[in-house]
Amino acid sequence: MVFNTEEIDNQKSTIAIMILAAGASTRMGTPKQLLLYQGRSFLQSITEMAIASVCQPVVVVLGANAEQIHPQIKQLTVKVVNNLDWAWGMSSSIKSGIELLNNLPEKIEAVVITLCDQPFVSHQIINQLVDAYYSTKKPIIACEYAGTLGVPALFSQRFFSELAALKETSGAKRVINNNLNEVFSMPFSLGDIDIDTPKDYEQLLLITKAASGG
């Protein structure tokens, strides 16, 4: 498939993007939203990627350590949701974001859901999801990596109620798996890299240093 993201008019896009950044980072031992990568925190980096994409509005869902984390994106043009139920898992953050989208004055056609701890997500990947949505007419566009389908993923508005009804620790992946006949998959091998532990972070920094010739 040839992606023509340049043809998508950023000003007319009704596709939102939701960044999930509410977790407590218990395995990391410190808020991973604040970890530095290439001179920016993880959260600042993915938020700037989202802003640079064709998606609007950009919604960031915070939760644990929100007061500490929010200054990272305070100056950016985003809508911030504080999920007070973050301890209930990713489903509660998705629900919070969907509720905000449903209450906006403009009609949101679809939403891209992404995480703050996948360091190789770029605005190009986000734009390719949107382009595939328009090109294939499929209501779900999911990234494919490590033999599975997952986020970043785009969901048309018809799945908003199903996303908002997710229970406990369920994530968007459950909606993907429940509707496989409605899914178009987009290869993104680096999507398998997410940062949950200090070892993950250390390996990421080593890979980055090696790639830069450092």
Side-chain angles (χ1 to χ4, degrees):
M1 172 175 289
V2 177
F3 295 109
N4 297 306
T5 52
E6 292 81 2
E7 297 176 5
I8 303 172
D9 187 340
N10 195 15
Q11 299 306 312
K12 295 181 180 178
S13 175
T14 54
I15 296 182
I17 183 165
M18 182 193 308
I19 300 168
L20 304 180
S25 310
T26 51
R27 284 189 284 170
M28 183 63 68
T30 188
K32 60 185 174 182
Q33 298 92 329
L34 301 178
L35 293 176
L36 291 180
Y37 175 62
Q38 296 185 334
R40 289 176 173 81
S41 69
F42 276 169
L43 181 58
Q44 184 180 358
S45 178
I46 187 61
T47 304
E48 290 179 351
M49 293 290 185
I51 291 170
S53 77
V54 297
C55 296
Q56 287 190 14
V58 176
V59 176
V60 179
V61 184
L62 299 181
N65 307 300
E67 289 186 5
Q68 182 181 357
I69 294 167
H70 185 241
Q72 291 288 312
I73 55 172
K74 192 173 183 180
Q75 304 303 319
L76 301 178
T77 308
V78 299
K79 298 181 184 297
V80 177
V81 181
N82 189 6
N83 173 23
L84 299 179
D85 296 322
W86 60 266
W88 290 101
M90 200 174 294
S91 61
S92 65
S93 290
I94 294 173
K95 180 179 181 181
S96 297
I98 293 294
E99 286 177 349
L100 182 145
L101 293 177
N102 285 336
N103 284 297
L104 292 177
E106 64 267 39
K107 184 181 185 298
I108 303 300
E109 181 179 347
V111 63
V112 173
I113 296 179
T114 192
L115 308 175
C116 78
D117 65 349
Q118 287 177 297
F120 294 104
V121 172
S122 64
H123 73 272
Q124 290 94 338
I125 292 294
I126 297 167
N127 289 352
Q128 286 173 8
L129 289 169
V130 175
D131 190 56
Y133 169 71
Y134 287 124
S135 300
T136 67
K137 309 301 183 185
K138 284 284 191 177
I140 299 176
I141 312 295
C143 286
E144 182 177 357
Y145 44 82
T148 190
L149 297 173
V151 296
L154 180 151
F155 300 87
S156 76
Q157 194 273 339
R158 63 187 264 204
F159 291 101
F160 282 13
S161 59
E162 187 172 345
L163 286 165
L166 287 168
K167 301 297 183 184
E168 298 175 351
T169 59
S170 300
K173 192 171 182 178
R174 173 162 294 187
V175 176
I176 295 171
N177 290 333
N178 287 347
N179 300 278
L180 288 176
N181 60 324
E182 303 278 15
V183 177
F184 176 82
S185 63
M186 191 182 81
F188 176 38
S189 59
L190 292 176
D192 187 42
I193 299 175
D194 59 8
I195 309 301
D196 291 319
T197 67
K199 185 177 180 180
D200 293 339
Y201 182 49
E202 182 182 341
Q203 289 179 335
L204 172 68
L205 297 180
L206 287 174
I207 292 170
T208 306
K209 184 177 180 181
S212 64

